[in-house]
Amino acid sequence: MSTNFLLLSTIALCIICAVFAFEPSPLQDFCVADPTSSARVNGQVCKSPGSVGANDFSFSGLHIPGNTSNPNGSRVTAVTVAQLPGLNTLGISMVRIDYAAWGINPPHTHPRATEILTVIEGSLEVGFVTSNPDNRLITKTLQKGDVFVFPIGLVHFQRNVGTKNAVAIAALSSQNPGVITIANAVFGSKPDISSDVLAKAFQLDQSVVRNLQAKF
Ligand SMILES: *[C@@H]1O[C@H](CO)[C@@H](O)[C@H](O)[C@H]1NC(C)=O
Ligand SMILES: *[C@@H]1O[C@H](CO)[C@@H](O)[C@H](O)[C@H]1NC(C)=O
């Protein structure tokens, strides 16, 4: 009886797993995105397979350094389904990140993807914070060739800890990982979150909050 119960529980769990599985379960060879279609679907409409060619599965330009002349001192060049239509339904994408000396990729999360990053040039301090209540910072300094993984949904960042440019390449487990940059989302929402809400939430004076809101 307990063996049967175990078997049944395992099957039930597997059904639950299948229900929670998302994105990387294509039901055909490919579904190259047709960005011109007006149909609303979860993802993008497929182009007719007959009209699909090699260019739908390729992107050129990740050898080009991104422009890091901005307050962060970093630039993300993304290759998601928006740039590479062949990624539609495949559950994967890629970015190149350039960092000026001491540049940062500020704290952000990807609501739909885990990210695995490798340093191609320079050295980076990287980290992520675990969810409540621990909010533990997991951090490490990476050298060229080192790999680090940022689990899905967790707040993470990188900083170039060198006086030369740094470059990283990262893969993400979604065709459309999404980015929520914490400061921009909280202090730069449109319209603003009431400054008294943020003042209480961050234990700040409202004038400091308004100052931050003006920046973002
Ligand atoms: C990089 O960005 C800055 C600021 O937007 C701009 O002034 C500069 O011309 C850009 N450099 C290149 C090489 O595109
Ligand atoms: C910093 O980088 C983030 C993520 O790339 C971007 O959303 C934000 O606008 C940048 N902030 C500034 C001040 O350039």
Side-chain angles (χ1 to χ4, degrees):
M1 173 242 158
S2 70
T3 318
N4 275 347
F5 179 74
L6 258 177
L7 190 64
L8 282 175
S9 322
T10 311
I11 290 168
L13 267 176
C14 285
I15 290 167
I16 291 168
C17 293
V19 168
F20 280 124
F22 56 101
E23 210 164 30
S25 305
L27 303 174
Q28 54 206 358
D29 279 358
F30 52 75
C31 166
V32 172
D34 176 2
T36 62
S37 171
S38 59
R40 310 295 299 173
V41 297
N42 183 19
Q44 305 253 347
V45 170
C46 311
K47 265 176 130 172
S48 157
S51 71
V52 160
N55 284 346
D56 289 309
F57 297 94
S58 90
F59 172 91
S60 297
L62 275 202
H63 61 298
I64 301 167
N67 185 343
T68 58
S69 299
N70 58 58
N72 292 321
S74 77
R75 173 74 61 181
V76 177
T77 307
V79 187
T80 68
V81 70
Q83 292 79 28
L84 205 174
L87 288 177
N88 195 34
T89 75
L90 298 185
I92 195 166
S93 57
M94 180 174 266
V95 296
R96 169 186 173 129
I97 314 171
D98 288 274
Y99 311 82
W102 301 103
I104 61 158
N105 186 7
H108 64 280
T109 82
H110 303 292
R112 292 177 290 278
T114 288
E115 171 174 356
I116 183 165
L117 172 148
T118 186
V119 179
I120 299 297
E121 214 52 72
S123 53
L124 294 179
E125 174 192 352
V126 303
F128 66 82
V129 179
T130 67
S131 46
N132 303 356
D134 293 350
N135 297 137
R136 187 172 156 218
L137 173 65
I138 310 282
T139 184
K140 188 167 165 54
T141 298
L142 307 180
Q143 310 299 337
K144 183 173 177 168
D146 291 350
V147 176
F148 198 84
V149 65
F150 304 103
I152 184 167
L154 300 187
V155 173
H156 61 282
F157 64 91
Q158 299 107 33
R159 172 163 71 150
N160 179 1
V161 285
T163 51
K164 292 184 295 190
N165 291 346
V167 183
I169 298 283
L172 296 112
S173 62
S174 168
Q175 67 179 39
N176 180 24
V179 187
I180 300 169
T181 304
I182 306 304
N184 298 55
V186 173
F187 296 106
S189 68
K190 296 166 204 75
D192 280 343
I193 300 175
S194 303
S195 56
D196 55 328
V197 171
L198 296 180
K200 220 168 209 176
F202 287 84
Q203 300 286 295
L204 292 172
D205 198 87
Q206 276 197 45
S207 62
V208 177
V209 168
R210 288 203 194 94
N211 197 315
L212 285 165
Q213 286 176 321
K215 281 201 166 73
F216 291 99

